[in-house]
Amino acid sequence: MSKFNAKYFYLAVLLFLVETLIAIFLDDRIIRPLIGDILVVVLIYCFIKAFWQVRPITAALGVFAFTCLIEGLQYLQLVDRIGLRDNRLIATVLGTTFDSKDILAYAIGAALMLVAKYRSAAFGRWHI
């Protein structure tokens, strides 16, 4: 069921801007590869929740599965196989390098969303 949620939408836009800044200005060993991958899960989760009423567990697990699928496509070197490595947009969105640690970062991002949701519900705060 679709229903627009402005809070999630604005949070998704903010996270997209943060992710863009990380991608453009950082080339380190922690923030870009780890924090960036955690935040991308939160970004996609917020985008989904901005437009669809879906249970938090469903959204979090769906986003985790989707990000693992993308990582699997990196393992299979999809971008190279379809000849799009030189396309910066496609190469950035789909990624070109498999890293099993990314799956851990995706799991952390999904878990953080669920913890935040259920903690906020227990304490009567804004629901994520």
Side-chain angles (χ1 to χ4, degrees):
M1 176 177 221
S2 68
K3 180 181 177 187
F4 182 71
N5 185 315
K7 289 179 186 178
Y8 281 114
F9 180 76
Y10 294 131
L11 188 53
V13 169
L14 176 66
L15 289 168
F16 178 78
L17 294 173
V18 169
E19 286 280 29
T20 302
L21 292 173
I22 288 172
I24 293 171
F25 295 110
L26 291 177
D27 190 19
D28 67 339
R29 292 181 165 197
I30 295 178
I31 295 175
R32 186 172 183 168
L34 178 63
I35 304 301
D37 285 345
I38 291 170
L39 288 179
V40 80
V41 171
V42 178
L43 163 63
I44 297 168
Y45 176 93
C46 289
F47 184 80
I48 288 170
K49 295 288 282 176
F51 294 99
W52 295 280
Q53 287 183 318
V54 57
R55 293 178 46 216
I57 187 83
T58 304
L61 291 177
V63 171
F64 177 69
F66 173 73
T67 53
C68 287
L69 172 68
I70 297 297
E71 199 66 30
L73 294 175
Q74 291 173 12
Y75 177 77
L76 297 172
Q77 300 174 340
L78 177 71
V79 172
D80 290 327
R81 291 177 190 263
I82 60 176
L84 292 176
R85 182 176 276 276
D86 293 333
N87 183 317
R88 289 188 62 158
L89 178 62
I90 297 295
T92 300
V93 170
L94 292 180
T96 56
T97 307
F98 173 79
D99 187 346
S100 59
K101 290 178 278 206
D102 290 349
I103 295 171
L104 177 62
Y106 303 146
I108 291 169
L112 285 174
M113 292 314 304
L114 292 175
V115 167
K117 160 56 179 140
Y118 291 111
R119 274 194 81 158
S120 66
F123 293 104
R125 295 189 185 116
W126 183 69
H127 298 266
I128 296 207

